[in-house]
């Protein structure tokens, strides 16, 4: 079955760019939509953006100026880049699959990657 695994640095300094990779196994990234969602400490889930199966990207308006989602089909990976991070970007970051709809529901999630922003 399809499995997702996030990876990347657990600590990023303020003003730098956060970069996370979601490696998909058990299925092609060209067959589904893949999004990034984060959970800020003590808060609910925040949808950040999505890469559709066709390669189109859509971003949250509040994060659009700092967010880039891309993919590497040879590695079956989806990458998130968030620029100019601040401590307020400290969160657990998840990638998730949307098998039919771009904006959800998302049926398979990675375990999440904790990222802290601190000097």
């Amino acid at each position: 079955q399809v499995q997702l695994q996030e990876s990347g640095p657990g600590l990023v300094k303020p003003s730098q760019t956060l970069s996370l990779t979601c490696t998909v196994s058990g299925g092609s990234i060209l067959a589904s939509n893949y999004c990034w969602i984060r959970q800020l400490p003590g808060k609910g889930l925040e949808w950040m953006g999505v890469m559709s199966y066709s390669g189109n990207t859509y971003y949250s308006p509040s994060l659009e100026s700092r967010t880039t989602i891309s993919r590497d089909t040879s590695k079956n990976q989806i990458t998130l880049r968030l620029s100019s991070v601040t401590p307020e970007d400290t969160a657990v970051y998840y990638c998730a699959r949307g098998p039919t709809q771009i904006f959800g529901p998302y049926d398979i999630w990675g375990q999440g990657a904790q990222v802290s922003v601190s000097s």
Side-chain angles (χ1 to χ4, degrees):
Q1 70 278 19
V2 175
Q3 293 183 319
L4 282 60
Q5 178 68 59
E6 303 90 348
S7 61
L11 180 64
V12 182
K13 293 183 177 180
S15 80
Q16 292 187 341
T17 296
L18 176 161
S19 183
L20 293 173
T21 298
C22 175
T23 300
V24 179
S25 59
S28 171
I29 60 174
L30 298 179
S32 295
N33 311 297
Y34 288 89
C35 74
W36 286 94
I37 292 170
R38 68 181 183 178
Q39 184 161 28
L40 304 173
K43 298 184 179 180
L45 298 173
E46 179 181 21
W47 183 87
M48 300 181 69
V50 63
M51 166 75 76
S52 75
Y53 70 92
S54 61
N56 294 319
T57 53
Y58 304 88
Y59 300 110
S60 166
S62 65
L63 296 170
E64 184 170 13
S65 63
R66 299 194 291 131
T67 307
T68 303
I69 296 175
S70 59
R71 66 184 180 185
D72 185 333
T73 56
S74 67
K75 297 180 180 179
N76 221 38
Q77 293 176 333
I78 305 288
T79 297
L80 169 73
R81 293 174 59 85
L82 182 67
S83 64
S84 304
V85 298
T86 71
E88 286 67 41
D89 292 309
T90 294
V92 179
Y93 288 77
Y94 299 91
C95 61
R97 185 188 79 159
T100 56
Q101 303 295 326
I102 294 174
F103 300 108
Y106 303 112
D107 65 342
I108 299 175
W109 294 58
Q111 66 183 28
Q114 171 69 53
V115 179
S116 297
V117 180
S118 174
S119 55

